[in-house]
PDB file of all heavy atoms in Angstrom:
ATOM      1  N   PRO B 346       3.451  -2.676  24.274  1.00 92.00           N
ATOM      2  CA  PRO B 346       4.478  -3.655  24.585  1.00 92.00           C
ATOM      3  C   PRO B 346       4.313  -4.117  26.065  1.00 92.00           C
ATOM      4  O   PRO B 346       4.072  -3.217  26.932  1.00 92.00           O
ATOM      5  CB  PRO B 346       5.730  -2.980  24.346  1.00 92.00           C
ATOM      6  CG  PRO B 346       5.491  -1.873  23.309  1.00 92.00           C
ATOM      7  CD  PRO B 346       4.087  -1.464  23.703  1.00 92.00           C
ATOM      8  N   ARG B 347       4.584  -5.425  26.230  1.00 91.00           N
ATOM      9  CA  ARG B 347       4.603  -5.945  27.665  1.00 91.00           C
ATOM     10  C   ARG B 347       5.309  -7.232  27.543  1.00 91.00           C
ATOM     11  O   ARG B 347       5.081  -7.928  26.545  1.00 91.00           O
ATOM     12  CB  ARG B 347       3.151  -6.153  28.128  1.00 91.00           C
ATOM     13  CG  ARG B 347       2.871  -6.280  29.557  1.00 91.00           C
ATOM     14  CD  ARG B 347       1.360  -6.118  29.969  1.00 91.00           C
ATOM     15  NE  ARG B 347       0.553  -7.175  29.372  1.00 91.00           N
ATOM     16  CZ  ARG B 347      -0.744  -7.009  29.079  1.00 91.00           C
ATOM     17  NH1 ARG B 347      -1.379  -5.891  29.281  1.00 91.00           N
ATOM     18  NH2 ARG B 347      -1.321  -8.034  28.637  1.00 91.00           N
ATOM     19  N   PRO B 348       6.093  -7.656  28.509  1.00 90.00           N
ATOM     20  CA  PRO B 348       6.895  -8.782  28.375  1.00 90.00           C
ATOM     21  C   PRO B 348       6.140 -10.075  27.985  1.00 90.00           C
ATOM     22  O   PRO B 348       5.099 -10.322  28.494  1.00 90.00           O
ATOM     23  CB  PRO B 348       7.558  -9.039  29.693  1.00 90.00           C
ATOM     24  CG  PRO B 348       7.585  -7.615  30.306  1.00 90.00           C
ATOM     25  CD  PRO B 348       6.390  -6.953  29.797  1.00 90.00           C
ATOM     26  N   GLY B 349       6.563 -10.700  26.962  1.00 89.00           N
ATOM     27  CA  GLY B 349       5.922 -12.019  26.370  1.00 89.00           C
ATOM     28  C   GLY B 349       4.707 -11.800  25.603  1.00 89.00           C
ATOM     29  O   GLY B 349       4.236 -12.754  24.984  1.00 89.00           O
ATOM     30  N   ARG B 350       4.125 -10.543  25.514  1.00 92.00           N
ATOM     31  CA  ARG B 350       2.932 -10.453  24.777  1.00 92.00           C
ATOM     32  C   ARG B 350       3.092 -10.422  23.335  1.00 92.00           C
ATOM     33  O   ARG B 350       4.145  -9.882  22.808  1.00 92.00           O
ATOM     34  CB  ARG B 350       2.414  -8.999  25.195  1.00 92.00           C
ATOM     35  CG  ARG B 350       0.926  -8.641  24.808  1.00 92.00           C
ATOM     36  CD  ARG B 350       0.569  -7.378  25.313  1.00 92.00           C
ATOM     37  NE  ARG B 350      -0.941  -7.208  25.308  1.00 92.00           N
ATOM     38  CZ  ARG B 350      -1.615  -6.029  25.406  1.00 92.00           C
ATOM     39  NH1 ARG B 350      -0.986  -4.971  25.332  1.00 92.00           N
ATOM     40  NH2 ARG B 350      -2.918  -6.134  25.366  1.00 92.00           N
ATOM     41  N   LYS B 351       2.158 -11.051  22.552  1.00 95.00           N
ATOM     42  CA  LYS B 351       2.285 -11.007  21.198  1.00 95.00           C
ATOM     43  C   LYS B 351       1.823  -9.644  20.606  1.00 95.00           C
ATOM     44  O   LYS B 351       0.602  -9.321  20.578  1.00 95.00           O
ATOM     45  CB  LYS B 351       1.329 -12.050  20.555  1.00 95.00           C
ATOM     46  CG  LYS B 351       1.772 -13.551  20.702  1.00 95.00           C
ATOM     47  CD  LYS B 351       0.892 -14.406  20.000  1.00 95.00           C
ATOM     48  CE  LYS B 351       1.156 -16.022  20.297  1.00 95.00           C
ATOM     49  NZ  LYS B 351       0.086 -16.851  19.911  1.00 95.00           N
ATOM     50  N   VAL B 352       2.801  -8.838  20.150  1.00 96.00           N
ATOM     51  CA  VAL B 352       2.361  -7.496  19.783  1.00 96.00           C
ATOM     52  C   VAL B 352       2.500  -7.256  18.287  1.00 96.00           C
ATOM     53  O   VAL B 352       2.138  -6.243  17.697  1.00 96.00           O
ATOM     54  CB  VAL B 352       3.183  -6.399  20.465  1.00 96.00           C
ATOM     55  CG1 VAL B 352       2.863  -6.460  22.006  1.00 96.00           C
ATOM     56  CG2 VAL B 352       4.668  -6.633  20.275  1.00 96.00           C
ATOM     57  N   GLY B 353       2.982  -8.310  17.548  1.00 97.00           N
ATOM     58  CA  GLY B 353       3.098  -8.177  16.083  1.00 97.00           C
ATOM     59  C   GLY B 353       3.945  -9.330  15.489  1.00 97.00           C
ATOM     60  O   GLY B 353       4.179 -10.333  16.273  1.00 97.00           O
ATOM     61  N   HIS B 354       4.126  -9.299  14.209  1.00 98.00           N
ATOM     62  CA  HIS B 354       4.892 -10.480  13.634  1.00 98.00           C
ATOM     63  C   HIS B 354       5.612  -9.830  12.422  1.00 98.00           C
ATOM     64  O   HIS B 354       5.160  -8.807  11.884  1.00 98.00           O
ATOM     65  CB  HIS B 354       4.054 -11.628  13.325  1.00 98.00           C
ATOM     66  CG  HIS B 354       3.082 -11.523  12.276  1.00 98.00           C
ATOM     67  ND1 HIS B 354       1.779 -11.068  12.405  1.00 98.00           N
ATOM     68  CD2 HIS B 354       3.342 -11.681  10.879  1.00 98.00           C
ATOM     69  CE1 HIS B 354       1.146 -11.082  11.199  1.00 98.00           C
ATOM     70  NE2 HIS B 354       2.040 -11.436  10.246  1.00 98.00           N
ATOM     71  N   VAL B 355       6.577 -10.625  11.852  1.00 98.00           N
ATOM     72  CA  VAL B 355       7.339 -10.263  10.774  1.00 98.00           C
ATOM     73  C   VAL B 355       7.336 -11.438   9.772  1.00 98.00           C
ATOM     74  O   VAL B 355       7.621 -12.529  10.356  1.00 98.00           O
ATOM     75  CB  VAL B 355       8.751  -9.824  10.901  1.00 98.00           C
ATOM     76  CG1 VAL B 355       9.461  -9.557   9.720  1.00 98.00           C
ATOM     77  CG2 VAL B 355       8.761  -8.698  11.954  1.00 98.00           C
ATOM     78  N   THR B 356       6.983 -11.257   8.467  1.00 98.00           N
ATOM     79  CA  THR B 356       7.072 -12.397   7.525  1.00 98.00           C
ATOM     80  C   THR B 356       8.026 -12.061   6.394  1.00 98.00           C
ATOM     81  O   THR B 356       8.062 -10.894   5.962  1.00 98.00           O
ATOM     82  CB  THR B 356       5.599 -12.628   6.933  1.00 98.00           C
ATOM     83  OG1 THR B 356       4.650 -12.758   8.024  1.00 98.00           O
ATOM     84  CG2 THR B 356       5.596 -13.721   5.972  1.00 98.00           C
ATOM     85  N   VAL B 357       8.786 -13.054   6.112  1.00 98.00           N
ATOM     86  CA  VAL B 357       9.750 -12.923   4.939  1.00 98.00           C
ATOM     87  C   VAL B 357       9.619 -14.151   4.077  1.00 98.00           C
ATOM     88  O   VAL B 357       9.517 -15.310   4.659  1.00 98.00           O
ATOM     89  CB  VAL B 357      11.210 -12.798   5.435  1.00 98.00           C
ATOM     90  CG1 VAL B 357      12.105 -12.655   4.111  1.00 98.00           C
ATOM     91  CG2 VAL B 357      11.308 -11.518   6.227  1.00 98.00           C
ATOM     92  N   GLY B 358       9.482 -14.044   2.799  1.00 98.00           N
ATOM     93  CA  GLY B 358       9.355 -15.184   1.884  1.00 98.00           C
ATOM     94  C   GLY B 358      10.565 -15.245   0.864  1.00 98.00           C
ATOM     95  O   GLY B 358      11.285 -14.243   0.859  1.00 98.00           O
ATOM     96  N   GLY B 359      10.794 -16.341   0.292  1.00 97.00           N
ATOM     97  CA  GLY B 359      11.947 -16.483  -0.662  1.00 97.00           C
ATOM     98  C   GLY B 359      12.264 -17.857  -1.078  1.00 97.00           C
ATOM     99  O   GLY B 359      11.644 -18.781  -0.540  1.00 97.00           O
ATOM    100  N   ASP B 360      13.270 -17.922  -1.856  1.00 97.00           N
ATOM    101  CA  ASP B 360      13.740 -19.291  -2.363  1.00 97.00           C
ATOM    102  C   ASP B 360      14.596 -19.955  -1.324  1.00 97.00           C
ATOM    103  O   ASP B 360      14.813 -21.101  -1.488  1.00 97.00           O
ATOM    104  CB  ASP B 360      14.500 -19.048  -3.637  1.00 97.00           C
ATOM    105  CG  ASP B 360      13.704 -18.432  -4.692  1.00 97.00           C
ATOM    106  OD1 ASP B 360      12.396 -18.608  -4.700  1.00 97.00           O
ATOM    107  OD2 ASP B 360      14.252 -17.758  -5.672  1.00 97.00           O
ATOM    108  N   ASP B 361      15.167 -19.167  -0.448  1.00 98.00           N
ATOM    109  CA  ASP B 361      16.224 -19.700   0.418  1.00 98.00           C
ATOM    110  C   ASP B 361      15.658 -19.634   1.841  1.00 98.00           C
ATOM    111  O   ASP B 361      15.566 -18.529   2.421  1.00 98.00           O
ATOM    112  CB  ASP B 361      17.504 -18.878   0.240  1.00 98.00           C
ATOM    113  CG  ASP B 361      18.659 -19.257   1.108  1.00 98.00           C
ATOM    114  OD1 ASP B 361      18.374 -19.854   2.197  1.00 98.00           O
ATOM    115  OD2 ASP B 361      19.756 -18.976   0.714  1.00 98.00           O
ATOM    116  N   LEU B 362      15.469 -20.786   2.388  1.00 98.00           N
ATOM    117  CA  LEU B 362      14.902 -20.874   3.716  1.00 98.00           C
ATOM    118  C   LEU B 362      15.729 -20.102   4.841  1.00 98.00           C
ATOM    119  O   LEU B 362      15.238 -19.445   5.673  1.00 98.00           O
ATOM    120  CB  LEU B 362      14.611 -22.366   4.149  1.00 98.00           C
ATOM    121  CG  LEU B 362      14.058 -22.529   5.562  1.00 98.00           C
ATOM    122  CD1 LEU B 362      12.798 -21.767   5.850  1.00 98.00           C
ATOM    123  CD2 LEU B 362      13.691 -24.094   5.781  1.00 98.00           C
ATOM    124  N   ASP B 363      17.022 -20.442   4.763  1.00 98.00           N
ATOM    125  CA  ASP B 363      17.950 -19.928   5.800  1.00 98.00           C
ATOM    126  C   ASP B 363      17.932 -18.447   5.675  1.00 98.00           C
ATOM    127  O   ASP B 363      17.905 -17.735   6.764  1.00 98.00           O
ATOM    128  CB  ASP B 363      19.300 -20.427   5.483  1.00 98.00           C
ATOM    129  CG  ASP B 363      19.562 -21.829   5.946  1.00 98.00           C
ATOM    130  OD1 ASP B 363      18.607 -22.369   6.659  1.00 98.00           O
ATOM    131  OD2 ASP B 363      20.400 -22.510   5.490  1.00 98.00           O
ATOM    132  N   LEU B 364      17.916 -17.848   4.484  1.00 98.00           N
ATOM    133  CA  LEU B 364      17.868 -16.381   4.389  1.00 98.00           C
ATOM    134  C   LEU B 364      16.571 -15.854   4.834  1.00 98.00           C
ATOM    135  O   LEU B 364      16.656 -14.842   5.535  1.00 98.00           O
ATOM    136  CB  LEU B 364      18.150 -16.059   2.905  1.00 98.00           C
ATOM    137  CG  LEU B 364      18.322 -14.521   2.551  1.00 98.00           C
ATOM    138  CD1 LEU B 364      19.560 -13.935   3.244  1.00 98.00           C
ATOM    139  CD2 LEU B 364      18.449 -14.371   1.038  1.00 98.00           C
ATOM    140  N   ALA B 365      15.446 -16.379   4.502  1.00 98.00           N
ATOM    141  CA  ALA B 365      14.234 -15.877   4.926  1.00 98.00           C
ATOM    142  C   ALA B 365      14.123 -15.958   6.444  1.00 98.00           C
ATOM    143  O   ALA B 365      13.647 -15.008   7.021  1.00 98.00           O
ATOM    144  CB  ALA B 365      13.072 -16.701   4.195  1.00 98.00           C
ATOM    145  N   ALA B 366      14.459 -17.054   6.878  1.00 98.00           N
ATOM    146  CA  ALA B 366      14.462 -17.133   8.432  1.00 98.00           C
ATOM    147  C   ALA B 366      15.391 -16.230   9.090  1.00 98.00           C
ATOM    148  O   ALA B 366      14.927 -15.483  10.142  1.00 98.00           O
ATOM    149  CB  ALA B 366      14.799 -18.551   8.906  1.00 98.00           C
ATOM    150  N   TYR B 367      16.498 -15.986   8.604  1.00 98.00           N
ATOM    151  CA  TYR B 367      17.452 -15.018   9.137  1.00 98.00           C
ATOM    152  C   TYR B 367      16.885 -13.592   9.123  1.00 98.00           C
ATOM    153  O   TYR B 367      16.972 -13.009  10.191  1.00 98.00           O
ATOM    154  CB  TYR B 367      18.832 -15.107   8.474  1.00 98.00           C
ATOM    155  CG  TYR B 367      19.722 -13.939   8.850  1.00 98.00           C
ATOM    156  CD1 TYR B 367      20.554 -14.108  10.022  1.00 98.00           C
ATOM    157  CD2 TYR B 367      19.806 -12.718   8.197  1.00 98.00           C
ATOM    158  CE1 TYR B 367      21.322 -13.115  10.494  1.00 98.00           C
ATOM    159  CE2 TYR B 367      20.583 -11.683   8.735  1.00 98.00           C
ATOM    160  CZ  TYR B 367      21.335 -11.896   9.828  1.00 98.00           C
ATOM    161  OH  TYR B 367      22.108 -10.895  10.259  1.00 98.00           O
ATOM    162  N   GLN B 368      16.374 -13.241   7.975  1.00 98.00           N
ATOM    163  CA  GLN B 368      15.771 -11.944   7.908  1.00 98.00           C
ATOM    164  C   GLN B 368      14.617 -11.661   8.798  1.00 98.00           C
ATOM    165  O   GLN B 368      14.421 -10.545   9.436  1.00 98.00           O
ATOM    166  CB  GLN B 368      15.378 -11.578   6.469  1.00 98.00           C
ATOM    167  CG  GLN B 368      16.627 -11.528   5.540  1.00 98.00           C
ATOM    168  CD  GLN B 368      16.276 -11.115   4.126  1.00 98.00           C
ATOM    169  OE1 GLN B 368      15.109 -11.175   3.711  1.00 98.00           O
ATOM    170  NE2 GLN B 368      17.265 -10.684   3.375  1.00 98.00           N
ATOM    171  N   ALA B 369      13.675 -12.713   8.829  1.00 98.00           N
ATOM    172  CA  ALA B 369      12.488 -12.552   9.675  1.00 98.00           C
ATOM    173  C   ALA B 369      12.872 -12.457  11.145  1.00 98.00           C
ATOM    174  O   ALA B 369      12.330 -11.599  11.901  1.00 98.00           O
ATOM    175  CB  ALA B 369      11.505 -13.714   9.436  1.00 98.00           C
TER     176      ALA B 369
END
Side-chain angles (χ1 to χ4, degrees):
Chain B
R347 201 162 65 204
R350 192 179 201 199
K351 287 179 189 170
V352 292
H354 72 268
V355 178
T356 301
V357 178
D360 298 334
D361 181 330
L362 173 55
D363 288 341
L364 184 63
Y367 173 81
Q368 292 186 346

